[in-house]
Amino acid sequence: MILSSPSGGGKTTIAQELLKRRIDLGYSVSCTTRSPRAGEIDGTDYFFLTPEEFQAARGRGEFAESADVHGHFYGTLKREVDLVLRSSRHVVMDIDVQGAKQFVEGYPDSVLIFILPPDGQVLLRRLEARGTEDPESMARRLKSAIKELRSVGLYHYVVLNADLDKAVEAVSEIIDAEGAKRARVSGLDKRIEGIVHDLERQLEHIQRSQS
Ligand code: 5GP
């Protein structure tokens, strides 16, 4: 499950909340060449790599997708995704639009959710409140935000993030609905056959007692 939104749209907070609430989800920790922000932990928030380390990993084909976002490289490691999938959990990813486009090529079952801020003013306030941006990087983020908003057509779902709790609930409901799609229900044929078998036996029993 891919969550995208313009910077400040709230996708990271939504992803963190979902991971707290649901044990059937796992997070794919991305790699980045940007510096850690205060409080960020290597291996938990991101794997912080040098540009050389990042290029080397890319050369070894370790990324399911990678992109240049706001002047830094970001990438999803195939091994992170596979680790979560092998534990029978859904993978939650917080990646940008370019990454989402690449990722669905390798993982066509992906569910793409766009987190939409209620309006431009809220988005600007959220970005300014971070206080981590110099004017140059703020301008870069605003330009990418405009591009990301215009790419909404790539996404299967749009969730309005005016109220965090409601947005988390909406994404959680999407996960449930997607999990109930026929193609995703594991062992469905066997289950149906088991039920049919029981009914047929009962039917035979009735028919025998009538003849
Ligand atoms: P930030 O630096 O604020 O944590 O993230 C900046 C942007 O990079 C966000 O839009 C975030 O979704 C995106 N991003 C984070 N991880 C990845 C990744 O692995 N791949 C791609 N393509 N984008 C990512």
Side-chain angles (χ1 to χ4, degrees):
M1 188 193 69
I2 296 178
L3 295 178
S4 302
S5 75
S7 199
K11 61 187 173 301
T12 310
T13 317
I14 292 176
Q16 285 166 349
E17 264 313 302
L18 281 166
L19 288 156
K20 270 193 240 158
R21 294 183 194 184
R22 298 184 59 136
I23 55 163
D24 60 342
L25 305 181
Y27 189 65
S28 157
V29 179
S30 293
C31 293
T32 183
T33 58
R34 81 152 164 79
S35 316
R37 297 193 186 112
E40 283 184 330
I41 301 166
D42 188 35
T44 301
D45 297 288
Y46 281 105
F47 295 108
F48 294 99
L49 305 183
T50 62
E52 293 73 28
E53 288 169 333
F54 193 96
Q55 294 301 357
R58 184 141 76 179
R60 292 191 296 269
E62 292 182 15
F63 292 121
E65 62 75 30
S66 62
D68 179 337
V69 189
H70 318 312
H72 298 287
F73 292 120
Y74 290 79
T76 303
L77 289 165
K78 289 178 190 163
R79 66 158 193 268
E80 276 290 301
V81 175
D82 294 341
L83 195 73
V84 179
L85 290 179
R86 271 205 305 276
S87 64
S88 301
R89 289 174 298 160
H90 306 292
V91 192
V92 177
M93 286 179 303
D94 160 355
I95 67 178
D96 87 318
V97 171
Q98 310 167 69
K101 254 186 221 162
Q102 284 176 45
F103 191 84
V104 289
E105 286 168 20
Y107 296 80
D109 272 358
S110 308
V111 176
L112 277 61
I113 306 175
F114 195 90
I115 307 296
L116 192 66
D119 59 51
Q121 291 310 313
V122 169
L123 187 61
L124 286 170
R125 276 202 300 278
R126 284 184 193 157
L127 274 174
E128 282 160 6
R130 287 188 176 178
T132 53
E133 313 296 339
D134 54 64
E136 204 181 306
S137 62
M138 181 63 129
R140 258 205 310 263
R141 277 172 192 264
L142 293 178
K143 278 190 203 152
S144 324
I146 295 167
K147 250 209 274 192
E148 302 233 333
L149 285 161
R150 296 215 158 111
S151 303
V152 71
L154 176 72
Y155 288 76
H156 302 118
Y157 296 94
V158 176
V159 169
L160 187 73
N161 184 18
D163 174 288
L164 177 65
D165 244 5
K166 282 193 190 143
V168 172
E169 222 19 71
V171 176
S172 194
E173 282 166 8
I174 292 169
I175 297 170
D176 287 336
E178 283 290 328
K181 277 195 171 162
R182 181 167 45 79
R184 286 189 212 270
V185 179
S186 65
L188 180 62
D189 288 348
K190 215 167 142 201
R191 200 178 283 257
I192 295 281
E193 279 319 305
I195 298 171
V196 168
H197 176 76
D198 289 346
L199 300 188
E200 281 177 344
R201 279 187 52 180
Q202 184 61 19
L203 190 60
E204 272 171 33
H205 178 73
I206 295 170
Q207 284 167 342
R208 240 183 278 123
S209 62
Q210 281 176 334
S211 59

Coordinates of all heavy atoms in Angstrom, one line a residue, residues 28-102:
S28 N 8.0 -0.4 5.2 CA 9.2 -0.6 4.5 C 10.1 0.7 4.7 O 9.7 1.8 4.3 CB 8.9 -0.7 3.0 OG 9.9 -0.4 2.2
V29 N 11.2 0.5 5.4 CA 12.1 1.6 5.7 C 12.8 2.0 4.4 O 13.5 1.1 3.8 CB 13.0 1.3 6.8 CG1 14.0 2.5 7.1 CG2 12.3 0.9 8.1
S30 N 12.7 3.2 4.0 CA 13.4 3.6 2.7 C 14.8 4.1 3.0 O 15.2 4.3 4.1 CB 12.7 4.9 2.2 OG 11.4 4.5 1.7
C31 N 15.6 4.2 1.9 CA 16.9 4.8 1.9 C 16.8 6.2 1.5 O 16.0 6.5 0.6 CB 17.9 4.0 1.0 SG 18.2 2.3 1.5
T32 N 17.7 7.1 2.0 CA 17.7 8.4 1.5 C 19.2 8.9 1.7 O 19.9 8.5 2.6 CB 16.8 9.4 2.3 OG1 16.9 10.7 1.7 CG2 17.1 9.5 3.8
T33 N 19.5 9.9 0.8 CA 20.8 10.6 0.9 C 20.7 11.9 1.7 O 21.6 12.6 1.8 CB 21.4 10.8 -0.4 OG1 20.5 11.7 -1.2 CG2 21.7 9.5 -1.2
R34 N 19.4 12.3 2.1 CA 19.3 13.5 2.9 C 19.8 13.3 4.3 O 19.8 12.1 4.8 CB 17.9 14.1 2.8 CG 16.9 13.5 3.8 CD 15.8 14.5 4.2 NE 14.7 13.9 4.8 CZ 14.6 13.4 6.0 NH1 15.6 13.5 6.8 NH2 13.5 12.9 6.4
S35 N 20.1 14.4 5.0 CA 20.6 14.2 6.4 C 19.5 14.0 7.3 O 18.4 14.4 7.1 CB 21.3 15.5 6.9 OG 22.1 16.0 5.9
P36 N 19.7 13.2 8.4 CA 18.7 13.0 9.4 C 18.2 14.3 10.0 O 19.0 15.1 10.3 CB 19.3 12.1 10.4 CG 20.7 11.7 9.9 CD 21.0 12.6 8.8
R37 N 16.9 14.4 10.3 CA 16.3 15.5 11.0 C 16.4 15.1 12.5 O 16.6 14.0 12.8 CB 14.9 15.8 10.7 CG 14.7 16.2 9.3 CD 13.2 16.7 9.0 NE 13.0 17.0 7.6 CZ 12.2 16.3 6.8 NH1 11.4 15.3 7.4 NH2 12.1 16.6 5.6
A38 N 16.3 16.2 13.4 CA 16.4 15.9 14.8 C 15.4 14.8 15.2 O 14.2 14.8 14.8 CB 16.0 17.2 15.6
G39 N 15.8 13.8 15.9 CA 15.0 12.7 16.4 C 14.9 11.6 15.5 O 14.4 10.5 15.8
E40 N 15.3 11.7 14.2 CA 15.2 10.6 13.3 C 16.3 9.6 13.6 O 17.4 9.9 13.8 CB 15.3 11.1 11.8 CG 14.0 11.7 11.4 CD 14.1 12.1 9.9 OE1 15.1 12.4 9.4 OE2 13.0 12.2 9.3
I41 N 15.9 8.3 13.5 CA 16.9 7.2 13.8 C 17.2 6.4 12.5 O 16.3 6.0 11.8 CB 16.2 6.3 14.9 CG1 15.9 7.1 16.1 CG2 17.1 5.1 15.2 CD1 15.0 6.3 17.1
D42 N 18.5 6.2 12.3 CA 18.9 5.4 11.2 C 18.4 4.0 11.3 O 18.5 3.3 12.4 CB 20.5 5.4 11.1 CG 21.0 4.8 9.8 OD1 20.4 4.9 8.8 OD2 22.1 4.1 9.9
G43 N 17.8 3.5 10.3 CA 17.2 2.1 10.3 C 15.8 2.0 10.7 O 15.1 1.0 10.6
T44 N 15.3 3.1 11.3 CA 13.9 3.2 11.8 C 13.1 4.1 10.9 O 12.1 3.8 10.3 CB 13.8 3.6 13.2 OG1 14.5 2.7 14.0 CG2 12.3 3.7 13.7
D45 N 13.6 5.4 10.8 CA 12.9 6.3 9.9 C 13.4 6.2 8.5 O 12.6 6.2 7.5 CB 13.2 7.7 10.4 CG 12.7 8.0 11.8 OD1 11.4 8.1 11.9 OD2 13.5 7.9 12.8
Y46 N 14.6 6.1 8.3 CA 15.3 5.8 7.0 C 16.6 5.1 7.2 O 17.1 5.1 8.4 CB 15.7 7.2 6.3 CG 14.5 7.9 5.7 CD1 14.0 9.1 6.3 CD2 14.0 7.6 4.4 CE1 13.0 9.8 5.7 CE2 13.0 8.3 3.8 CZ 12.5 9.4 4.5 OH 11.5 10.1 3.9
F47 N 17.1 4.5 6.1 CA 18.5 4.2 6.1 C 19.2 5.4 5.5 O 18.9 5.7 4.3 CB 18.8 2.9 5.3 CG 18.1 1.7 5.9 CD1 17.0 1.1 5.3 CD2 18.6 1.1 7.0 CE1 16.4 0.0 5.8 CE2 18.0 -0.1 7.6 CZ 16.9 -0.6 7.0
F48 N 20.0 6.1 6.3 CA 20.7 7.3 5.8 C 22.0 6.9 5.1 O 22.9 6.3 5.7 CB 20.9 8.3 6.9 CG 19.7 8.8 7.5 CD1 19.1 8.3 8.6 CD2 19.0 9.8 6.8 CE1 17.9 8.8 9.2 CE2 17.8 10.3 7.3 CZ 17.2 9.8 8.5
L49 N 22.1 7.1 3.8 CA 23.2 6.6 3.0 C 23.9 7.9 2.4 O 23.3 8.9 2.2 CB 22.8 5.7 1.8 CG 22.0 4.5 2.1 CD1 21.7 3.7 0.8 CD2 22.7 3.6 3.1
T50 N 25.2 7.7 2.1 CA 25.9 8.7 1.3 C 25.5 8.5 -0.1 O 25.0 7.4 -0.5 CB 27.4 8.5 1.4 OG1 27.8 7.3 0.8 CG2 27.9 8.6 2.8
P51 N 25.6 9.6 -1.0 CA 25.3 9.4 -2.4 C 26.0 8.3 -3.0 O 25.5 7.5 -3.9 CB 25.7 10.8 -3.0 CG 25.7 11.8 -1.9 CD 26.0 11.0 -0.7
E52 N 27.3 8.0 -2.6 CA 28.1 6.9 -3.2 C 27.4 5.6 -2.8 O 27.3 4.7 -3.6 CB 29.5 7.0 -2.7 CG 30.3 8.2 -3.2 CD 29.9 9.5 -2.5 OE1 29.5 9.4 -1.3 OE2 30.1 10.5 -3.1
E53 N 27.1 5.5 -1.5 CA 26.5 4.2 -1.0 C 25.1 4.0 -1.8 O 24.8 2.8 -2.1 CB 26.2 4.3 0.5 CG 27.5 4.2 1.3 CD 27.2 4.5 2.8 OE1 26.3 5.3 3.1 OE2 28.0 4.0 3.6
F54 N 24.4 5.1 -2.0 CA 23.1 4.9 -2.6 C 23.3 4.4 -4.1 O 22.6 3.5 -4.5 CB 22.4 6.3 -2.6 CG 20.9 6.2 -3.0 CD1 19.9 6.1 -2.0 CD2 20.5 6.2 -4.4 CE1 18.6 6.0 -2.4 CE2 19.2 6.0 -4.7 CZ 18.2 6.0 -3.7
Q55 N 24.2 5.1 -4.8 CA 24.5 4.7 -6.2 C 24.9 3.2 -6.3 O 24.6 2.5 -7.2 CB 25.5 5.6 -6.9 CG 25.0 7.0 -7.0 CD 23.8 7.2 -7.9 OE1 23.2 6.2 -8.4 NE2 23.2 8.4 -7.9
A56 N 25.7 2.8 -5.3 CA 26.3 1.4 -5.3 C 25.1 0.4 -5.1 O 25.0 -0.6 -5.8 CB 27.3 1.2 -4.2
A57 N 24.2 0.8 -4.2 CA 23.0 -0.1 -3.9 C 22.1 -0.1 -5.2 O 21.6 -1.2 -5.6 CB 22.2 0.4 -2.7
R58 N 22.0 1.0 -5.8 CA 21.2 1.1 -7.1 C 21.9 0.2 -8.2 O 21.2 -0.6 -8.8 CB 21.1 2.5 -7.6 CG 20.2 2.7 -8.8 CD 19.3 3.9 -8.7 NE 20.1 5.1 -9.0 CZ 19.5 6.3 -9.1 NH1 18.3 6.5 -8.9 NH2 20.3 7.3 -9.3
G59 N 23.2 0.3 -8.3 CA 23.9 -0.5 -9.2 C 23.8 -2.0 -9.0 O 23.8 -2.8 -9.9
R60 N 23.6 -2.4 -7.7 CA 23.4 -3.8 -7.4 C 22.0 -4.2 -7.6 O 21.6 -5.4 -7.3 CB 23.9 -4.1 -6.0 CG 25.4 -4.0 -5.7 CD 25.8 -4.5 -4.4 NE 25.2 -3.7 -3.3 CZ 25.7 -2.7 -2.7 NH1 26.9 -2.3 -3.0 NH2 25.1 -2.1 -1.7
G61 N 21.1 -3.3 -8.0 CA 19.7 -3.6 -8.3 C 18.9 -3.9 -7.0 O 18.0 -4.7 -7.0
E62 N 19.3 -3.2 -5.9 CA 18.7 -3.5 -4.6 C 17.3 -2.7 -4.5 O 16.6 -3.0 -3.6 CB 19.6 -3.1 -3.5 CG 20.8 -4.0 -3.4 CD 21.7 -3.7 -2.2 OE1 21.3 -2.9 -1.3 OE2 22.8 -4.2 -2.2
F63 N 17.1 -1.8 -5.4 CA 15.9 -0.9 -5.2 C 14.7 -1.4 -6.1 O 14.9 -1.7 -7.2 CB 16.2 0.5 -5.5 CG 17.1 1.2 -4.5 CD1 18.3 1.7 -5.0 CD2 16.8 1.2 -3.2 CE1 19.2 2.3 -4.1 CE2 17.6 1.8 -2.3 CZ 18.8 2.4 -2.7
A64 N 13.5 -1.4 -5.4 CA 12.3 -1.7 -6.2 C 11.9 -0.4 -7.0 O 11.2 -0.5 -8.0 CB 11.2 -2.1 -5.3
E65 N 12.3 0.7 -6.5 CA 12.1 2.0 -7.1 C 13.1 3.0 -6.5 O 13.5 2.8 -5.3 CB 10.7 2.5 -7.0 CG 10.2 2.8 -5.6 CD 10.7 4.1 -5.0 OE1 11.0 5.0 -5.7 OE2 10.8 4.0 -3.7
S66 N 13.5 4.0 -7.2 CA 14.3 5.1 -6.6 C 14.0 6.4 -7.4 O 13.7 6.3 -8.5 CB 15.8 4.7 -6.6 OG 16.2 4.6 -7.9
A67 N 14.2 7.5 -6.7 CA 13.9 8.8 -7.3 C 14.7 9.9 -6.6 O 15.1 9.8 -5.5 CB 12.4 9.0 -7.2
D68 N 14.8 10.9 -7.4 CA 15.4 12.2 -6.9 C 14.2 13.0 -6.4 O 13.4 13.4 -7.2 CB 16.2 12.8 -8.0 CG 16.8 14.1 -7.6 OD1 16.4 14.7 -6.6 OD2 17.8 14.6 -8.2
V69 N 14.1 13.2 -5.1 CA 13.0 14.0 -4.5 C 13.6 15.2 -3.8 O 14.4 15.0 -2.9 CB 12.2 13.2 -3.5 CG1 10.9 13.9 -3.1 CG2 11.8 11.8 -4.0
H70 N 13.2 16.4 -4.2 CA 13.7 17.6 -3.6 C 15.2 17.7 -3.5 O 15.8 18.1 -2.5 CB 13.2 17.8 -2.1 CG 11.8 17.5 -1.9 ND1 10.7 17.9 -2.7 CD2 11.2 16.7 -0.9 CE1 9.6 17.4 -2.2 NE2 9.8 16.7 -1.1
G71 N 15.9 17.2 -4.5 CA 17.3 17.3 -4.6 C 18.1 16.2 -3.9 O 19.3 16.2 -3.8
H72 N 17.4 15.2 -3.3 CA 18.1 14.1 -2.6 C 17.5 12.8 -3.2 O 16.4 12.7 -3.7 CB 17.8 14.1 -1.1 CG 18.3 15.3 -0.4 ND1 19.7 15.5 -0.2 CD2 17.7 16.4 0.1 CE1 19.8 16.7 0.4 NE2 18.7 17.2 0.6
F73 N 18.4 11.7 -3.1 CA 17.9 10.4 -3.6 C 17.1 9.7 -2.5 O 17.5 9.7 -1.3 CB 19.0 9.5 -4.0 CG 19.8 10.0 -5.2 CD1 21.1 10.3 -5.2 CD2 19.1 10.2 -6.4 CE1 21.8 10.8 -6.3 CE2 19.7 10.6 -7.6 CZ 21.1 11.0 -7.5
Y74 N 16.0 9.0 -2.9 CA 15.2 8.2 -2.0 C 15.0 6.9 -2.8 O 14.8 6.8 -4.0 CB 13.8 8.8 -1.8 CG 13.9 10.1 -0.9 CD1 14.2 11.3 -1.5 CD2 13.6 10.0 0.4 CE1 14.3 12.4 -0.7 CE2 13.6 11.1 1.2 CZ 13.9 12.4 0.7 OH 14.0 13.5 1.4
G75 N 14.9 5.8 -2.0 CA 14.6 4.5 -2.7 C 14.0 3.5 -1.8 O 14.3 3.5 -0.6
T76 N 13.2 2.6 -2.3 CA 12.6 1.5 -1.6 C 13.4 0.2 -1.8 O 13.6 -0.2 -3.0 CB 11.2 1.2 -2.1 OG1 10.4 2.4 -1.9 CG2 10.5 0.1 -1.3
L77 N 13.9 -0.4 -0.8 CA 14.7 -1.6 -0.9 C 13.8 -2.8 -1.2 O 12.8 -3.0 -0.4 CB 15.5 -1.9 0.3 CG 16.7 -0.9 0.6 CD1 17.2 -1.1 2.0 CD2 17.8 -1.2 -0.4
K78 N 14.1 -3.7 -2.2 CA 13.3 -4.9 -2.4 C 13.3 -5.7 -1.2 O 12.3 -6.3 -0.8 CB 13.9 -5.7 -3.6 CG 13.8 -5.0 -4.9 CD 14.5 -5.9 -6.0 CE 14.6 -5.1 -7.3 NZ 15.5 -5.7 -8.2
R79 N 14.4 -5.8 -0.5 CA 14.5 -6.7 0.7 C 13.6 -6.3 1.8 O 13.0 -7.1 2.6 CB 15.9 -6.9 1.2 CG 16.6 -5.7 1.7 CD 17.8 -6.1 2.7 NE 18.2 -5.0 3.4 CZ 19.1 -4.1 3.0 NH1 19.8 -4.3 1.9 NH2 19.4 -3.1 3.8
E80 N 13.4 -4.9 1.9 CA 12.5 -4.4 3.0 C 11.0 -4.8 2.7 O 10.3 -5.3 3.6 CB 12.5 -2.9 3.0 CG 13.6 -2.3 3.8 CD 13.5 -2.5 5.3 OE1 12.5 -2.1 5.9 OE2 14.3 -3.2 5.9
V81 N 10.7 -4.7 1.4 CA 9.3 -5.1 1.0 C 9.1 -6.6 1.2 O 8.1 -7.0 1.8 CB 9.1 -4.7 -0.5 CG1 7.7 -5.1 -1.0 CG2 9.2 -3.2 -0.7
D82 N 10.1 -7.4 0.7 CA 9.9 -8.8 0.8 C 9.9 -9.3 2.3 O 9.1 -10.2 2.6 CB 11.1 -9.5 0.0 CG 10.9 -9.2 -1.5 OD1 9.8 -8.8 -1.9 OD2 12.0 -9.3 -2.2
L83 N 10.6 -8.6 3.1 CA 10.6 -9.0 4.5 C 9.2 -8.9 5.1 O 8.7 -9.8 5.8 CB 11.6 -8.1 5.3 CG 12.1 -8.4 6.7 CD1 13.1 -9.6 6.5 CD2 12.8 -7.2 7.3
V84 N 8.5 -7.8 4.8 CA 7.2 -7.6 5.4 C 6.2 -8.6 4.7 O 5.4 -9.2 5.4 CB 6.7 -6.1 5.2 CG1 5.3 -5.9 5.7 CG2 7.7 -5.1 5.8
L85 N 6.3 -8.7 3.4 CA 5.4 -9.7 2.7 C 5.5 -11.1 3.2 O 4.6 -11.8 3.4 CB 5.6 -9.6 1.2 CG 5.2 -8.3 0.5 CD1 5.5 -8.4 -1.0 CD2 3.7 -8.0 0.7
R86 N 6.8 -11.5 3.5 CA 7.0 -12.9 4.0 C 6.4 -13.1 5.3 O 6.1 -14.2 5.7 CB 8.5 -13.2 4.0 CG 9.1 -13.7 2.7 CD 10.3 -14.6 2.9 NE 11.4 -13.8 3.6 CZ 12.2 -13.0 3.0 NH1 12.2 -12.8 1.7 NH2 13.1 -12.4 3.7
S87 N 6.2 -12.0 6.1 CA 5.6 -12.2 7.4 C 4.1 -12.1 7.3 O 3.4 -11.8 8.3 CB 6.1 -11.1 8.4 OG 5.8 -9.8 8.0
S88 N 3.5 -12.2 6.1 CA 2.1 -12.1 5.8 C 1.4 -10.9 6.3 O 0.3 -10.9 6.7 CB 1.4 -13.3 6.5 OG 1.9 -14.5 6.0
R89 N 2.2 -9.8 6.2 CA 1.6 -8.5 6.5 C 1.5 -7.6 5.3 O 2.2 -7.9 4.3 CB 2.4 -7.8 7.6 CG 2.3 -8.4 9.0 CD 3.2 -7.8 10.0 NE 4.6 -7.9 9.6 CZ 5.6 -7.2 10.0 NH1 5.4 -6.2 10.8 NH2 6.9 -7.4 9.6
H90 N 0.7 -6.6 5.3 CA 0.6 -5.7 4.2 C 1.8 -4.7 4.3 O 2.1 -4.3 5.5 CB -0.7 -4.9 4.2 CG -1.9 -5.7 4.2 ND1 -2.3 -6.5 3.1 CD2 -2.9 -5.9 5.1 CE1 -3.4 -7.1 3.4 NE2 -3.8 -6.7 4.6
V91 N 2.4 -4.3 3.2 CA 3.5 -3.3 3.3 C 3.0 -1.9 3.2 O 2.2 -1.6 2.2 CB 4.5 -3.5 2.2 CG1 5.8 -2.8 2.4 CG2 4.8 -5.0 2.0
V92 N 3.3 -1.1 4.1 CA 3.0 0.3 4.0 C 4.2 1.1 3.5 O 5.3 1.0 4.1 CB 2.5 0.9 5.4 CG1 2.2 2.4 5.3 CG2 1.3 0.1 5.9
M93 N 4.0 1.9 2.5 CA 5.1 2.7 2.0 C 4.7 4.2 1.9 O 3.6 4.5 1.4 CB 5.6 2.2 0.6 CG 6.3 0.9 0.8 SD 6.8 0.3 -0.8 CE 5.2 0.2 -1.6
D94 N 5.6 5.0 2.3 CA 5.4 6.5 2.2 C 6.4 7.0 1.1 O 7.5 7.2 1.4 CB 5.7 7.0 3.6 CG 5.9 8.5 3.7 OD1 6.0 9.2 2.7 OD2 6.1 9.0 4.8
I95 N 5.9 7.0 -0.1 CA 6.9 7.4 -1.2 C 6.2 8.4 -2.1 O 5.0 8.6 -2.1 CB 7.4 6.1 -2.0 CG1 6.3 5.4 -2.8 CG2 8.0 5.1 -1.1 CD1 6.7 4.3 -3.6
D96 N 7.1 9.0 -2.9 CA 6.6 10.1 -3.8 C 6.0 9.5 -5.1 O 6.0 8.3 -5.3 CB 7.7 11.1 -4.1 CG 8.5 10.7 -5.3 OD1 8.8 9.5 -5.4 OD2 8.8 11.6 -6.1
V97 N 5.4 10.4 -5.9 CA 4.7 10.0 -7.1 C 5.5 9.3 -8.1 O 5.2 8.2 -8.6 CB 4.0 11.2 -7.7 CG1 3.4 10.8 -9.1 CG2 2.9 11.8 -6.8
Q98 N 6.8 9.8 -8.3 CA 7.7 9.1 -9.3 C 8.0 7.7 -8.8 O 8.0 6.8 -9.6 CB 9.0 9.8 -9.3 CG 9.0 11.3 -9.5 CD 10.5 11.8 -9.2 OE1 11.4 11.6 -9.9 NE2 10.6 12.5 -8.1
G99 N 8.2 7.5 -7.5 CA 8.5 6.2 -6.9 C 7.2 5.3 -7.1 O 7.4 4.1 -7.4
A100 N 6.1 5.8 -6.8 CA 4.8 5.0 -6.9 C 4.7 4.5 -8.4 O 4.4 3.3 -8.6 CB 3.6 5.9 -6.5
K101 N 5.0 5.3 -9.3 CA 4.8 5.0 -10.7 C 5.8 3.8 -11.1 O 5.4 2.8 -11.7 CB 5.2 6.1 -11.6 CG 4.1 6.8 -12.3 CD 4.6 7.9 -13.3 CE 3.7 9.1 -13.1 NZ 4.3 10.3 -13.7
Q102 N 7.0 3.9 -10.6 CA 8.0 2.8 -10.8 C 7.6 1.5 -10.1 O 7.7 0.4 -10.6 CB 9.4 3.2 -10.3 CG 10.1 4.2 -11.2 CD 11.4 4.5 -10.4 OE1 12.1 3.7 -9.9 NE2 11.7 5.8 -10.4

